[in-house]
Amino acid sequence: MRVMVLVKATEDSEKGFFPTPETLAMMEAMGRFNDELVKAGVMKAGDGLRPSSEGKRVAFDGPGRTVVDGPFPQTRELVAGFWLWEVKDMDEAVAWVKRCPNPMPGPSEIEIRPLYEEADFA
């Protein structure tokens, strides 16, 4: 089973990355966790995203397209980073997320979403 693991953005992550002793320690801990995921054959891809202030959205309405520049409101609905994992089931994905170091300086949230597989469309 493939899952997309989404690290939700926070007000801190939307400010951008600044190397401080705390953020560097957090990055080192996350690097060790990523190494565990790779060694276990779970992690297929993953990365952090720059703040939404550097992003764009394209809104669709029939044939029309409107480009909206970031930053985007409702920070808690934004994604700050992601992984693509291959796990045996959702329980295994949850177990891995529970082992994850906190990806943010304060309270944070990680969402796990299964991907559609070819068999889902048969």
Side-chain angles (χ1 to χ4, degrees), residues 56-60 64-68:
K56 300 202 181 275
R57 285 186 178 165
V58 179
F60 291 74
R65 307 292 184 262
T66 304
V67 177
V68 179

Side-chain angles (χ1 to χ4, degrees), residues 42-70:
V42 171
M43 185 170 155
K44 303 304 176 191
D47 225 325
L49 302 174
R50 290 181 175 265
S52 70
S53 61
E54 298 183 36
K56 300 202 181 275
R57 285 186 178 165
V58 179
F60 291 74
D61 187 5
R65 307 292 184 262
T66 304
V67 177
V68 179
D69 294 328

